[in-house]
Structure formats: structure tokens, C-alpha cells
Amino acid sequence: MLEIQPGVDKDKLRSEFARLHGAQPRLFRAPGRINLIGEHTDYNDGFVLPMAIDRETVVAGAARDDRLIRARSYSQGETVELNLDKPGSPRRGVWFDYVEGVAQALIARGKLLRGADLLIQSNVPAGAGLSSSAALEVSLGFALLAISGQELDPLSLALAATDAEHNYVGTMCGIMDQYAATFAKAGHALRIDCRSLESTLVPVDLSETAIVVCDTNVKHNLASSEYNKRRAECEQGVQLLRLVLPEIGALRDISMSQFELHQHRLPEPIRRRCRHVITENARTLSAAEALKARDLKTMGVLMAESHRSLRDDYEVSCAELDLMFEIAQSLDQVIGARMTGGGFGGCTINFVRRDGLEEFCEEILVRYQDQTGITPSRYVVTAADGVSEIT
Ligand code: ADP
Ligand code: MG
């Protein structure tokens, strides 16, 4: 009934590597993620609450004696050859921008990388907002460091992965995805302060509740241009509010009462963009407390408010995400639902009572399909560990 995406078969990956390269590889993995709440707050120095999921990218690798990286991705069905000393130009719009970007970001941090043979396999759906890109960057960075005998602290690894995305891929993302892929712990979400880059673990009790990811299976082209536009609008909001609140560095520094006092200074749509970020930050802090207290009812209310704020104030939702959200809201089995990720398609997350799980999955399928003609994907996920070597 549910989408069962097979896990990555690690034994098969090892034997395939041995067959191709005549050597035993080391295996490394990093997870995809969902964001429970705190959307578009990361680049505003705010708070986010991601949870790594039990879908991962696995990199099998062994060092080479020359300066080449030979990487094969099964999902891309392609092998590429890159030279550590002669990087290609950035932003070619190809999957190995990520590979080159990570290698060059590590080299820029003074790491002495060796050439390597790499096989990459993943069961994180790509482009669905579950951050297959960060899973790739972080597993790859970790693998390249380990097989080169180089050490790097985890925060620098997450930052290097983010640099790869900025400089080589050209997506000006915040640090949330790479941070989650690096620091996550099984059974927990991470409350990250995107200014101090410190995080605390928040237990996620899934004994009576399941988290279901529902993929709308649409992706509108707007995503990256609108993302950059939202970032610029937030910066404009800060500039304007600084005229009366000179001490602020980012939207994170503005309280709800300050915003109410000064919002008339902001033209539309900047006012609504700022309102989303400021209220979303407050919701994220409340949600972390609610989760900790196992108060899923409050969590559900906050999730619904988050979705509506993303829809109406930040305007990054779309008809399919709104439909998926509305269907979930109308079902008895659902405790909370919202879109997750940057928006304009991708997934919703749903906290669903375990005793109503089958029914939920069926209802979402039938109703979404009836109204859109699109078959949604549904995944039940649990909270997984961040990057690690598989031994
Ligand atoms: P998301 O991170 O939400 O999945 P992105 O557009 O940020 O979506 O990243 C998806 C891109 O990352 C893919 O188009 C591909 O270029 C790259 N990618 C992700 N996983 C892999 C993989 N296993 N092998 C090769 N490239 C991958
Ligand atoms: Mg991504």
C-alpha cells in the first residue's frame, strides 16, 4: 500500500565496487531530512527544527594514487572523472557540480585530499525537498576526508557542504540541510540556532504517532528564482526596520511587539514576508518545547499556522501543497500537517495516529489523485542519525 523504497543494499555496493576497482571500499552514509517547522528562517539567522530521516545516500570509496576523482552515481547512471588540481567551471547545472563543489570546498579549507574511486547510491528521492543534495554533499565530504586520512570538525564539514551548494551549484541555501545531515541523532529532531550554529536535541516520540511524508510529485520552476527573491525581500525588510531599530542584524532580532509597532513602515509584500519570518521563529521555539513535552496537539496547531503563514504571507506554497494540507486537516487521524522545504511543490509532513495510519494513507492517495490526476508518493519516516561510516 505504501511506497516501499528499497534501502541501499550495502553488500551489493561493496561487491560491485570490488568488481569494478579490484579493491575493498569503505562505506559512508548521510541522511535526507524533513523540517518539522521553521521554514525560510535559516537565512534570517533564526531557528529551525529539522529531523534526519531513514533514507540515505551511501558513498563507497577507496583512495587512488593519482589526482582523479572517478565518481559513479547509480541514480544518474553516469560515471564522471574530475581532477582535484584542475576543477571544472562552477554552475554547469550537472550532478557532479556537487562532487566538484565539495572537493574544492574541502581543499579551500586546507585539506589534502587524495584522488578516489567513488560509487554513490541513494534512496532519498531527488528534488522532492527531502534534501538529497545535502545527503550527497555530506556523505561525499565525509568519505573524501576519511579516505584521504584528513580530519575536519563536523561544523566545518557542514559549512563546506553549504559552500559547495553556494559556489558550485548556485543555490543560496541556508545551512539547515547540511547541518542536519551532519549532526542529527536517531530518535530526535534538532533545534538549530542558525546564528550561533548551536543545536539542541529534541526527542521525537513516535510510539503512538507516525510521521508520513506525502510528496505532491510536482515541482514548479519558480522555486529557485522565488527563493532568491524572498531572501532579497527579507534583507530589504531589515534595511527598512533598521532605520528605527538600528541595533538589529537580521529578522531574528525583531520581536512580535516591535514588529507590530513598526510594520506600517514596510511596503507590501515585504511586510508580510517579514511577518512570516518573525512569527515562524516564535512558532519554532514553541514547537520545540511542545515536542519535548510530548504535546503533539500544540505541535499540530503550530504546524497548521506555519503552513498558512507560508501560503498567505510568504507565498511559497502552491495549489497541490495546499490541497494536500487541506485533505490532511480534514482527516481525524491527523494531529498536524504542513508543507516542508522551500515550497512550490515537494512534500507535506503529517503527524498521524498510528491506529489510523492505513486509513490516512489511503484517503490522501484517493482524494489527492481524484482532484489532481497525480499519484502522490507517501513515506513513513523515522528519525535517523547524521553522517557516519558504515562498518
Ligand atoms: P533536494 O535536495 O530537495 O532533493 P535539489 O534540487 O537540491 O533537491 O537536489 C537534487 C539534485 O542533487 C539532483 O538533481 C542531483 O543533481 C543531485 N543529487 C542528489 N542525489 C544524487 C545522487 N545520488 N547522485 C547524483 N546526484 C544526486
Ligand atoms: Mg537540496
Side-chain angles (χ1 to χ4, degrees):
M1 170 209 71
L2 271 175
E3 210 87 0
I4 310 281
Q5 270 209 351
V8 175
D9 185 337
K10 281 117 191 168
D11 291 335
K12 205 165 152 202
L13 197 59
R14 277 184 210 280
S15 59
E16 185 65 8
F17 191 97
R19 191 182 66 77
L20 286 171
H21 300 295
Q24 282 303 322
R26 289 169 69 184
L27 262 58
F28 307 88
R29 54 160 288 286
R33 63 99 193 93
I34 52 177
N35 188 21
L36 298 181
I37 197 164
E39 217 66 77
H40 292 279
T41 45
D42 58 352
Y43 53 82
N44 289 296
D45 275 4
F47 297 93
V48 292
L49 193 63
M51 180 188 107
I53 57 174
D54 50 345
R55 280 168 192 280
E56 60 192 10
T57 298
V58 180
V59 176
R64 291 171 60 97
D65 291 328
D66 58 17
R67 304 293 296 153
L68 298 180
I69 301 271
R70 293 204 57 183
R72 174 162 190 80
S73 161
Y74 283 97
S75 59
Q76 300 288 330
E78 190 183 16
T79 304
V80 292
E81 198 172 279
L82 310 167
N83 189 322
L84 288 172
D85 298 330
K86 295 186 199 120
S89 52
R91 305 187 186 192
R92 287 161 291 185
V94 289
W95 70 272
F96 45 89
D97 284 344
Y98 293 90
V99 182
E100 192 118 67
V102 170
Q104 293 305 322
L106 294 173
I107 290 171
R109 282 174 168 72
K111 297 296 139 186
L112 302 173
L113 295 189
R114 297 184 61 182
D117 289 311
L118 305 169
L119 289 184
I120 302 162
Q121 199 165 18
S122 180
N123 70 341
V124 186
L130 302 179
S131 210
S132 68
S133 61
L136 175 62
E137 290 149 7
V138 172
S139 56
L140 198 67
F142 197 79
L144 289 174
L145 288 164
I147 60 187
S148 305
Q150 297 283 296
E151 306 242 319
L152 186 64
D153 65 281
L155 183 57
S156 299
L157 172 62
L159 288 165
T162 311
D163 281 356
E165 191 118 14
H166 290 181
N167 300 335
Y168 259 84
V169 180
T171 306
M172 299 311 290
C173 60
I175 196 181
M176 168 171 69
D177 299 355
Q178 290 78 6
Y179 195 106
T182 305
F183 285 96
K185 284 278 169 284
H188 294 81
L190 272 179
R191 195 200 83 161
I192 308 170
D193 179 334
C194 295
R195 171 172 282 165
S196 71
L197 300 182
E198 286 165 349
S199 59
T200 49
L201 290 168
V202 182
V204 180
D205 178 3
L206 297 177
S207 53
E208 285 167 21
T209 311
I211 300 179
V212 187
V213 175
C214 294
D215 191 344
T216 58
N217 282 327
V218 298
K219 177 130 190 107
H220 299 291
N221 294 332
L222 286 166
S224 75
S225 61
E226 289 295 317
Y227 181 90
N228 293 337
K229 212 193 261 177
R230 293 299 177 281
R231 283 191 77 135
E233 286 165 345
C234 290
E235 275 162 33
Q236 287 167 39
V238 171
Q239 298 292 331
L240 289 168
L241 288 167
R242 230 186 241 137
L243 298 175
V244 279
L245 300 166
E247 69 284 5
I248 63 169
L251 289 179
R252 181 253 178 82
D253 298 315
I254 299 162
S255 68
M256 215 37 231
S257 54
Q258 282 174 320
F259 177 74
E260 270 158 21
L261 202 59
H262 299 298
Q263 58 172 319
H264 64 277
R265 298 173 182 277
L266 301 173
E268 295 293 1
I270 291 175
R271 188 187 69 85
R272 277 179 297 134
R273 307 296 189 245
C274 293
R275 184 167 64 183
H276 165 73
V277 173
I278 293 163
T279 56
E280 184 78 353
N281 259 328
R283 279 188 291 273
T284 305
L285 293 175
S286 305
E289 291 308 310
L291 257 192
K292 218 184 290 174
R294 294 183 163 73
D295 177 2
L296 291 187
K297 192 161 170 254
T298 300
M299 181 75 193
V301 171
L302 293 165
M303 286 169 75
E305 285 174 4
S306 169
H307 185 95
R308 294 191 183 106
S309 175
L310 287 158
R311 181 189 65 195
D312 303 332
D313 276 354
Y314 219 60
E315 295 182 279
V316 292
S317 188
C318 62
E320 294 86 355
L321 281 169
D322 291 339
L323 175 64
M324 198 79 107
F325 167 75
E326 292 300 341
I327 297 169
Q329 288 295 111
S330 74
L331 295 172
D332 290 343
Q333 307 86 357
V334 175
I335 304 162
R338 61 182 286 274
M339 57 169 274
T340 189
F344 301 105
C347 301
T348 63
I349 51 169
N350 303 267
F351 279 63
V352 180
R353 285 201 335 262
R354 278 204 182 267
D355 58 12
L357 185 55
E358 295 251 340
E359 220 175 315
F360 167 80
C361 291
E362 185 60 23
E363 287 294 322
I364 279 281
L365 172 71
V366 170
R367 295 200 204 178
Y368 182 78
Q369 204 168 248
D370 266 4
Q371 294 190 53
T372 61
I374 303 164
T375 304
S377 307
R378 297 143 303 149
Y379 317 100
V380 177
V381 296
T382 58
D385 277 319
V387 66
S388 60
E389 180 163 8
I390 302 168
T391 48

